């Protein structure tokens, strides 16, 4: 097993606070603020190991940019799953693809009171002034962005009856909109809206017999887009906890993919489209043009990508990690037309980012930044950063030997004139040196501006966001 997979899916050596990281290169003067990232801090508890990249105990990371310098701090997310794991020396809560080793008595108890993890490790968000670690179970954890200490369960939780939620809420002006799923005898997809100082409001609802695994959704100025892949579950399997969460879902390609379009203003179902079966984690952007609703999404022919993230498969290095296609779907809302699809690039990517604050729901956006896999090598994990020009289909790539980058968060230059004037921030695992560094790329040329070196590795994580206010 190569060293990168050993340390990237291992254990964070320690929590730390470093006032100034060693910096090679020079940061642009306008880069001021804080990058918050989320992801696993350990894949091992005692003598037990988590099985999948989407398992593990959450750890927050904080990079603060001030006066041309970069500080760093990291901290495990203080939650029940972490506290019990540390106290008992074993995995205590069910994760995405890992269950604790139950006794017969404990397994019977699980049927009546399943313990899904509150280790919210997938994303971070600022929700009406509260900083929240986001996970797919409905338990979200608020934390202090200065100290990274947990404040408690997000204040709005418990007021919305749901079992899972996406970790990619959309923000439009002062409204936060997210898609939740409630499992039961009659299951429901529910779009919820949260206004400042208001109770959550139901925007739209769709009954479903077998809910799909849905990680994100699309939103345009007038519509909400629910893409229901044929990767579905009997809700009783979830409620009675037959297997780890994701292993209850079944691929049923004969169902095809259903695309539900809801009116954002009145919640009515505008139209249901049917298309070929596919799977995706991430919607990218959605917009409207002359009777068409258009959305971009990172798509796969099936959910094999989920199996590719089992750690034994990654460590065995016997697979070529599949990359997702950037597909553009066009939905005809004006007449009897159906669904058209085109592939916008031949690069396989994942974890897409763009200038969300300025160009979300804007059809003129041109660039997506993501991670990908070098086509010339048989790598089990992501080893390059990709900039995709959606208009030309061409890509620029950053890669460095024995380096494994994470999601490239885009920061626009406030004085920039072009969409790609800015920088991308990516946490990169350096296999040769056994640690990580924060890479700063010029988004236009896709060349390195600077890197700040961290004295220990940051485990392979998922998502983060930059905040000027911290």
């Amino acid at each position: 097993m190569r060293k990168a997979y050993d340390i990237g899916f291992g254990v964070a050596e320690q929590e730390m606070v470093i006032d100034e990281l060693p910096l090679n290169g020079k940061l642009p003067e306008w880069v001021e603020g804080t990058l918050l990232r989320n992801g696993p801090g350990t894949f091992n508890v005692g003598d037990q190991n988590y099985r999948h990249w989407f398992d593990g105990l959450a750890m927050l990371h904080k990079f603060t940019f001030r006066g041309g310098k970069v500080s760093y701090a990291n901290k495990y997310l203080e939650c029940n799953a972490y506290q019990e794991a540390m106290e008992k020396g074993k995995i205590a809560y069910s994760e995405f693809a890992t269950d604790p080793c139950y006794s017969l008595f404990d397994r019977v108890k699980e049927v009546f009171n399943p313990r899904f993890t509150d280790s919210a490790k997938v994303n971070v968000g600022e929700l009406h002034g509260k900083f929240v670690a986001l996970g797919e179970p409905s338990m979200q954890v608020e934390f202090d962005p200065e100290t990274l200490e947990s404040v408690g369960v997000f204040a709005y939780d418990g007021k919305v009856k749901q079992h899972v939620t996406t970790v990619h809420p959309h923000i439009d002006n002062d409204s936060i909109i997210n898609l939740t799923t409630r499992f039961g005898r009659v299951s429901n997809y529910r779009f919820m809206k949260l206004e400042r100082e208001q109770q959550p409001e139901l925007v739209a609802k769709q009954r479903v017999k077998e809910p799909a695994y849905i990680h994100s959704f699309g939103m345009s100025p007038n519509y909400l887009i629910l893409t229901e892949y044929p990767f579905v579950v009997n809700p009783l399997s979830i409620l009675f906890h037959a297997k780890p969460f994701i292993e209850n879902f079944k691929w049923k390609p004969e169902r095809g993919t259903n695309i539900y379009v809801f009116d954002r203003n009145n919640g009515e179902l505008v139209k249901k489209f049917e298309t070929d079966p596919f799977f995706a984690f991430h919607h990218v952007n959605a917009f409207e043009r002359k009777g068409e609703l258009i959305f971009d999404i990172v798509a796969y022919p099936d959910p094999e990508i989920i199996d590719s993230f089992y750690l034994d498969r990654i460590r065995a290095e016997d697979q070529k990690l599949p990359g997702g296609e950037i597909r553009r779907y066009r939905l005809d809302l004006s007449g009897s037309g159906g669904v058209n699809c085109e592939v916008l690039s031949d690069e396989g990517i994942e974890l897409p980012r763009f200038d969300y604050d300025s160009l979300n729901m804007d059809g003129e956006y041109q660039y997506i930044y993501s991670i990908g896999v070098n086509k010339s090598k048989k790598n089990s994990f992501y080893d390059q950063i990709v900039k995709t020009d959606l208009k030309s289909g061409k890509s620029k790539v950053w890669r460095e030997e024995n380096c494994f980058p994470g999601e490239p968060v885009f920061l626009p230059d406030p004085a920039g004139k072009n969409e790609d004037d800015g920088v991308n921030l990516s946490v990169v695992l350096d296999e040769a040196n056994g640690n990580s560094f924060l890479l700063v790329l010029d988004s236009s040329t896709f060349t390195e501006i600077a890197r700040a070196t961290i004295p220990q590795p940051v485990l392979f994580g998922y998502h983060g966001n930059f905040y000027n206010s911290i």
Side-chain angles (χ1 to χ4, degrees):
M1 177 177 64
R2 66 182 301 169
K3 180 180 178 182
Y5 306 149
D6 184 36
I7 60 179
F9 297 107
V11 180
E13 296 173 9
Q14 58 182 317
E15 297 176 327
M16 57 177 59
V17 176
I18 301 175
D19 292 336
E20 184 177 350
L21 293 175
L23 181 67
N24 291 327
K26 184 178 180 180
L27 295 171
E29 293 182 358
W30 56 267
V31 178
E32 294 270 327
T34 297
L35 173 68
L36 293 175
R37 289 197 57 79
N38 204 348
T42 180
F43 288 92
N44 308 322
V45 177
D47 60 358
Q48 297 180 345
N49 301 316
Y50 291 100
R51 304 172 59 223
H52 196 275
W53 183 30
F54 295 172
D55 294 334
L57 296 172
M59 174 171 274
L60 298 168
H61 302 267
K62 175 184 176 182
F63 299 87
T64 299
F65 300 78
R66 291 285 183 270
K69 300 177 181 180
V70 185
S71 65
Y72 171 73
N74 68 324
K75 189 174 182 60
Y76 280 101
L77 184 70
E78 297 159 340
C79 59
N80 292 329
Y82 173 74
Q83 292 170 350
E84 287 196 34
M86 295 302 102
E87 291 170 1
K88 298 178 179 179
K90 62 181 182 179
I91 299 170
Y93 280 72
S94 296
E95 296 283 343
F96 183 84
T98 302
D99 269 349
C101 295
Y102 291 120
S103 66
L104 179 60
F105 176 70
D106 288 335
R107 188 161 292 281
V108 171
K109 287 198 302 181
E110 274 286 302
V111 170
F112 298 99
N113 186 27
R115 288 159 53 90
F116 295 110
T117 187
D118 60 349
S119 182
K121 68 182 74 64
V122 187
N123 204 353
V124 294
E126 182 184 8
L127 308 182
H128 295 320
K130 298 178 183 292
F131 286 85
V132 182
L134 301 171
E136 289 179 325
S138 58
M139 190 76 72
Q140 316 295 338
V141 180
E142 184 184 348
F143 65 92
D144 185 326
E146 296 292 342
T147 65
L148 302 183
E149 294 179 354
S150 297
V151 175
V153 175
F154 182 47
Y156 300 107
D157 274 323
K159 298 176 182 177
V160 182
K161 292 183 178 181
Q162 62 200 36
H163 284 117
V164 295
T165 181
T166 85
V167 294
H168 297 284
H170 279 290
I171 300 174
D172 186 17
N173 295 319
D174 207 32
S175 297
I176 298 169
I177 300 175
N178 208 350
L179 172 65
T180 71
T181 304
R182 178 74 180 174
F183 299 109
R185 184 179 59 83
V186 177
S187 298
N188 291 278
Y189 303 123
R190 297 155 59 92
F191 284 100
M192 306 300 300
K193 180 171 69 173
L194 185 63
E195 305 277 4
R196 191 178 297 273
E197 305 299 330
Q198 301 291 323
Q199 294 292 316
E201 175 187 348
L202 178 66
V203 177
K205 181 178 179 180
Q206 178 66 40
R207 297 178 66 174
V208 57
K209 182 178 179 181
E210 291 185 307
Y213 173 67
I214 300 175
H215 184 80
S216 66
F217 66 99
M219 185 175 80
S220 73
N222 294 295
Y223 303 104
L224 297 168
I225 306 166
L226 191 165
T227 310
E228 184 188 51
Y229 323 105
F231 189 48
V232 298
V233 67
N234 179 337
L236 294 180
S237 297
I238 296 291
L239 296 176
F240 291 105
H241 201 180
K243 299 176 182 177
F245 174 77
I246 199 61
E247 293 181 2
N248 293 287
F249 287 78
K250 305 297 182 185
W251 179 241
K252 297 184 177 181
E254 67 278 5
R255 292 169 52 115
T257 296
N258 296 317
I259 303 173
Y260 295 90
V261 177
F262 298 92
D263 189 309
R264 281 182 59 183
N265 299 306
N266 58 28
E268 292 183 0
L269 178 63
V270 176
K271 199 168 184 179
K272 175 186 174 183
F273 296 85
E274 297 179 3
T275 190
D276 295 337
F278 73 95
F279 175 77
F281 293 114
H282 295 112
H283 275 258
V284 184
N285 202 359
F287 48 93
E288 302 161 24
R289 281 182 185 163
K290 298 179 181 179
E292 282 189 322
L293 176 59
I294 303 169
F295 67 90
D296 297 339
I297 194 168
V298 179
Y300 302 84
D302 54 50
E304 167 65 18
I305 183 64
I306 293 178
D307 291 339
S308 298
F309 291 148
Y310 277 95
L311 301 189
D312 57 352
R313 290 185 55 170
I314 295 174
R315 289 165 173 156
E317 300 182 66
D318 61 356
Q319 66 175 358
K320 178 74 172 180
L321 191 68
E325 291 182 333
I326 304 177
R327 296 184 187 176
R328 174 161 291 180
Y329 282 86
R330 298 177 180 272
L331 313 179
D332 183 2
L333 297 180
S334 62
S336 59
V339 182
N340 291 307
C341 171
E342 62 178 315
V343 178
L344 301 183
S345 170
D346 61 359
E347 286 284 349
I349 69 156
E350 202 31 273
L351 303 184
R353 299 296 298 249
F354 69 104
D355 188 355
Y356 182 93
D357 290 343
S358 299
L359 295 171
N360 187 42
M361 303 186 291
D362 186 337
E364 297 305 313
Y365 90 118
Q366 184 173 355
Y367 298 108
I368 292 176
Y369 311 93
S370 58
I371 55 175
V373 180
N374 186 347
K375 296 177 182 177
S376 65
K377 292 188 176 181
K378 184 181 179 181
N379 275 333
S380 296
F381 211 64
Y382 302 104
D383 61 349
Q384 62 185 20
I385 306 174
V386 182
K387 173 188 177 181
T388 303
D389 184 331
L390 299 179
K391 294 183 178 180
S392 70
K394 297 180 180 179
S395 297
K396 292 182 179 180
V397 171
W398 179 93
R399 72 169 70 98
E400 189 170 302
E401 192 69 22
N402 300 319
C403 284
F404 296 81
E407 174 195 54
V409 176
F410 175 74
L411 275 63
D413 183 344
K417 297 180 180 179
N418 301 311
E419 179 184 331
D420 58 350
D421 287 337
V423 299
N424 287 95
L425 305 177
S426 174
V427 179
V428 181
L429 183 70
D430 184 341
E431 181 180 45
N433 293 313
N435 65 339
S436 294
F437 59 89
L438 179 68
L439 176 68
V440 184
L441 288 180
D442 181 304
S443 302
S444 178
T445 64
F446 233 50
T447 56
E448 180 177 337
I449 296 175
R451 67 176 64 184
T453 303
I454 307 162
Q456 69 180 22
V458 174
L459 274 56
F460 293 124
Y462 322 116
H463 299 292
N465 287 297
F466 190 88
Y467 301 96
N468 296 311
S469 58
I470 303 176

